[in-house]
Amino acid sequence: MVAEAQRNHAATASAIEGLKAQAAANQKLVSQVGGAVQRIEKRTEERVVKAVEQVAGEASATIAANLDASNERAERIIAATAKLEARQLWSAAAAMCLALLPVVVVVAGLWMGIAGLITGAQWALDVDGSVWLGIGRWLVIAAGLAAAGYGVFASVRWVAGLVETWKGRGMPTWPNWRR
């Protein structure tokens, strides 16, 4: 029994030594696996950093290209706007001339009317004592004044129609049957 116990003890000690050797081998393997995992993590991190840098570089290049294209479009729009502004300047000048044309015509008409009255009065008074010539000339002046008065009346009516059209947004309110 003692011999058997000694054999069991030797077998147990041998098994313990085997288990210790196996535990040391397992510990060495775990250490190696840990090192391999760290190396894999380091390589993966390096690859991720390179990929991020590459994507960031491509993105910045794309953004720069888009920004350049946007700047070019903006410059074209600014140039087109400048052309339109120049055209609008000429259009505004033409509109101003057209708006001032009736005023000029009215002022010139008044000037010519006053000059005509003065000249006509001088002409009517220069009859050298002939009564019938004076009466005839004053009748001609009266007819001219009547025609000028009708011209003023027609002009005022026309301007009133324009004002009514502008106030009514393009549609005159007369005649009454349109209401």
Side-chain angles (χ1 to χ4, degrees):
M1 217 164 225
V2 175
E4 197 174 324
Q6 283 179 348
R7 273 190 299 209
N8 282 341
H9 181 38
T12 302
S14 170
I16 288 174
E17 288 299 321
L19 287 175
K20 282 184 182 179
Q22 190 176 9
N26 284 345
Q27 196 172 26
K28 183 178 178 184
L29 182 63
V30 166
S31 173
Q32 288 175 347
V33 168
V37 167
Q38 286 177 350
R39 285 190 303 275
I40 289 171
E41 284 178 349
K42 186 175 181 181
R43 285 183 190 158
T44 304
E45 182 180 345
E46 289 171 357
R47 287 181 182 169
V48 167
V49 167
K50 284 181 184 178
V52 167
E53 287 174 354
Q54 182 180 4
V55 168
E58 291 173 2
S60 66
T62 303
I63 289 171
N66 288 341
L67 185 60
D68 289 341
S70 295
N71 287 339
E72 184 178 326
R73 282 192 301 268
E75 288 174 1
R76 285 187 297 201
I77 289 171
I78 289 170
T81 303
K83 285 181 183 178
L84 286 175
E85 286 176 356
R87 289 179 187 159
Q88 286 178 348
L89 177 65
W90 285 107
S91 295
M96 186 179 72
C97 288
L98 287 175
L100 291 178
L101 185 63
V103 173
V104 169
V105 168
V106 168
V107 169
L110 286 174
W111 182 269
M112 290 172 56
I114 292 169
L117 283 175
I118 293 171
T119 305
Q122 287 175 348
W123 175 70
L125 292 175
D126 187 23
V127 290
D128 290 330
S130 175
V131 175
W132 290 109
L133 184 60
I135 291 172
R137 287 184 177 183
W138 280 109
L139 285 176
V140 170
I141 289 175
L145 285 174
Y150 178 74
V152 169
F153 169 73
S155 296
V156 168
R157 192 177 69 181
W158 177 72
V159 168
L162 277 179
V163 170
E164 187 176 338
T165 299
W166 290 335
K167 282 175 48 178
R169 294 192 189 129
M171 294 299 295
T173 57
W174 58 273
N176 292 336
W177 56 268
R178 285 194 179 176
R179 288 185 190 172

